[in-house]
Amino acid sequence: MKIWKSLLIVLMIFVNLAFAQPSFADRPKFSKNPDYIEVTKSIKALTKAKEAQTEIEGVTPEEIQQKIDELAFQKYTLETGINWGQCDNQTGKTIAVYGKRPNDEENEDAVYDNDLYFLADGQSTKNNWDCDGFYLPNDAKIAGLIPDGQVFTEPVAIKIADGSKLVIKTNPDTAAIEINFPNAQIAKANQVNWFIPNVSQALIDTRVPNAPTNQS
């Protein structure tokens, strides 16, 4: 009788473990997120520069502190487990954005880490779909970055961290692209495994919008 009781207890333990297993599953570690690592490095570098009173070309001490505060907020956002970004197009034109495949399927033949999609004016990329940034056409000017008014001699993309909502607009007076994200990174072809073409806005306008959106 005791043997049967012991076996019954063991069986109950295994059943409970089988049903409770998902609760013990490890959450993705934000500390391994490349965006989290980059944000943490930037905070340390800027804090060190501020403490040493090291001047950064084109950036005032007040702007350095503002950047540290914004990065600290991004760091907190990543620590809460949000692992996707969102892009909102308010430029009046189609833009090209970077993101993973909507079906999350891995493609062994993929050459680049991200695909290039086209986002229509007035649309935002879909919730939980990770928009990593957007392409800057070779005839476009961009404002809102630090230092402001940068001139690029090669094709670039604008990269954002997970947990960010990037709003892209066009200044009606200067026709320059403006973003709400001063800590966005400039990504060049030799720095990220993204397809960064050398094309104009006119060519982007000819593409059919295909980015996953909240409106679709």
Side-chain angles (χ1 to χ4, degrees):
M1 192 67 174
K2 291 182 179 180
I3 295 176
W4 283 107
K5 286 184 178 180
S6 299
L7 289 174
L8 182 60
I9 291 172
V10 171
L11 180 61
M12 290 177 64
I13 291 173
F14 275 111
V15 170
N16 287 333
L17 286 174
F19 282 102
Q21 188 173 0
S23 65
F24 293 105
D26 292 334
R27 293 180 60 188
K29 294 184 178 180
F30 59 80
S31 60
K32 294 183 179 180
N33 185 320
D35 289 335
Y36 185 82
I37 295 171
E38 189 62 36
V39 166
T40 303
K41 285 181 180 179
S42 297
I43 291 175
K44 289 181 179 179
L46 288 171
T47 302
K48 186 176 181 181
K50 180 187 173 185
E51 292 174 350
Q53 296 183 344
T54 304
E55 293 185 2
I56 300 178
E57 185 179 356
V59 184
T60 66
E62 291 77 16
E63 289 173 332
I64 292 177
Q65 183 57 53
Q66 180 183 357
K67 199 165 186 177
I68 291 173
D69 294 339
E70 290 169 347
L71 287 169
F73 186 75
Q74 291 178 37
K75 182 172 178 283
Y76 169 77
T77 302
L78 291 168
E79 289 171 347
T80 62
I82 299 177
N83 59 356
W84 54 278
Q86 188 172 54
C87 295
D88 183 10
N89 180 13
Q90 301 296 332
T91 63
K93 303 176 180 179
T94 298
I95 63 172
V97 298
Y98 293 92
K100 301 295 189 297
R101 292 171 183 79
N103 56 11
D104 294 327
E105 291 182 358
E106 294 293 335
N107 185 349
E108 295 181 357
D109 296 327
V111 177
Y112 300 101
D113 295 336
N114 272 336
D115 285 340
L116 195 63
Y117 296 86
F118 300 96
L119 183 66
D121 175 49
Q123 294 194 339
S124 342
T125 53
K126 189 175 182 179
N127 294 347
N128 295 308
W129 183 79
D130 188 15
C131 181
D132 287 322
F134 72 102
Y135 168 71
L136 187 67
N138 59 18
D139 56 351
K141 296 180 180 178
I142 186 167
L145 294 177
I146 298 176
D148 201 359
Q150 296 187 71
V151 176
F152 305 107
T153 58
E154 58 186 300
V156 299
I158 308 301
K159 184 177 183 294
I160 61 171
D162 289 345
S164 306
K165 181 174 182 178
L166 179 68
V167 180
I168 308 114
K169 297 182 178 181
T170 300
N171 186 301
D173 298 323
T174 65
I177 291 176
E178 295 181 341
I179 60 176
N180 65 327
F181 207 75
N183 294 320
Q185 296 180 339
I186 306 302
K188 300 178 181 179
N190 63 345
Q191 298 172 331
V192 292
N193 188 28
W194 295 4
F195 174 59
I196 305 179
N198 187 15
V199 297
S200 66
Q201 178 61 46
L203 188 58
I204 299 296
D205 290 335
T206 66
R207 313 312 298 170
V208 174
N210 64 344
T213 67
N214 285 326
Q215 291 82 356
S216 60

